[in-house]
Amino acid sequence: MKKSKSVYVCQNCGFRQSKWAGRCPECDGWNSMVEEAVRTETAKDRRAFAGDPGEPVPLGSVSADRGERIPSGMGEMDRVLGGGIVPGSLVLIGGDPGIGKSTLLLQLCGHISTKKPVLYVSGEESAGQIKMRAERLGVKSDTLLLYTETSVEMIIQKIADIKPAVVVIDSIQTMFTEAAGSAPGSVGQLRESAAILMQVSKKTGVPIFLVGHVTKEGAIAGPRVLEHIVDTVLYFEGDRDHFFRILRSVKNRFGSTHEMGVFEMRESGLTEVANPSEIFMSRNLDVPSGSVVTCILSGTRPILVEIQALVTGTSFGNPRRTAVGFDYNRLALLAAILQKRAGLVLDQEDIYVSAAGGVRVEDPGADLALAAAIVGSFQNRAARKSSMFVGEVGLGGELRPVSSLSLRVKEAARMGLKRAYVPKGSPLGDVGSSLEIIEVGHVGSLAELMF
Ligand code: TYD
Ligand code: MG
């Protein structure tokens, strides 16, 4: 039987099968399966390209790739990358249109090009448009080379000729390679282009940044295919109406994925926010009910974040739960725990919660603050001024210790808070005496302690 030479690939999720289907069996997307030619690549082809002899070597004789990291010129960016740009790495930066990806990377190029040539490839904007942005940012350099091209083969050629310190590809969705037998813009093109660029970066040692567009659902188009290929995946987020932008890492082969970098978008580009606690905490001293402060850990850095809840009677049978910056299920779970273990009748109440400044709170240590915000809004009483709430809440309503509590308490003291509500029995070590420590054993006792 003749072997099939094509495969059908879902343009949403990258799922592949040999037969066409109207609906992708993996992600249930309609009309997303597109035929692509199968490229038969032999092991020899790949070796010739990657240039390694392919012999197993003893671990002991391998020298660790501890090459110098290249500073990006932005401390916040270096932090997220795990200490600077790793030579030969492929980094994907995803984010909504207009969030500032091109701005961030142009600033990075501006900094690095003061020492070495940098190649900025744009498939979206003309050199003139980029020049206009560069003028706004005050970036001017004769070693920042702009290249408006979409052919991966041409770009590889230029990388070999110029040997730049860093390459930026803005964006990977606009790139086209002859190696993929599929239409421009398809997942096949995306995967093939990224795979080729990965080999180029590994072979030449030149770090490459890819800009990736995000789909309506908030994932980088063809997300699985790209995330598997690249070394590091960063998301650039934030409310477009807010000025703050957060750079988060969701995958990093060279560092922690818990770090986040905070920037502010100004007239003259992105500036770093070195003290994020200041912006995510309200400076308003008359705190309304349902507004409390917690401390989340971002990598090793503690950041104070204001959490707000609004609890109001529902007008429909089904009470609403809406979470901005939190996992929706976590909110539903906490509401259920408060109802069952603390006697709060929430099943006729709508609950809205949000974290300030567009921060995404994933730290379970914020549970106690979320609970305190809900209790405060439900009772319509403001929590005691200058308090911080930290602790994980278990299903029984009990409080569990959190990691690095002393670091968080110190940050609260540094920011001038007066008391910290922490899980009972937490080892605190030496945190000084400037803060009153209030131990909470169970969510049921929160209402007695917090007002
Ligand atoms: P951009 O980097 O083009 O976004 P992306 O590449 O992610 O699509 O950023 C565009 C937005 O940033 C635009 O709405 C204007 C704003 N901006 C500033 O506020 N100040 C600046 O100095 C620059 C260059 C852009
Ligand atoms: Mg752009």
Side-chain angles (χ1 to χ4, degrees), residues 17-31:
Q17 66 176 24
S18 57
K19 274 197 286 187
W20 183 82
R23 185 180 199 179
C24 169
E26 180 79 11
C27 68
D28 293 340
W30 287 102
N31 254 340

Side-chain angles (χ1 to χ4, degrees), residues 95-107 120 124-125 132-134 136-137 170 211 213 236 240 243 245 265-270:
D96 288 334
I99 204 77
K101 302 178 295 294
S102 304
T103 307
L104 182 74
L105 289 172
L106 194 60
Q107 282 182 246
Y120 189 104
E124 292 187 344
E125 292 163 301
M132 260 160 54
R133 179 178 299 124
R136 268 182 89 172
L137 301 174
D170 191 358
V211 171
H213 286 301
F236 203 38
R240 229 180 310 172
F243 299 108
R245 301 283 187 273
M265 181 63 97
R266 297 230 184 114
E267 258 313 288
S268 56
L270 292 156

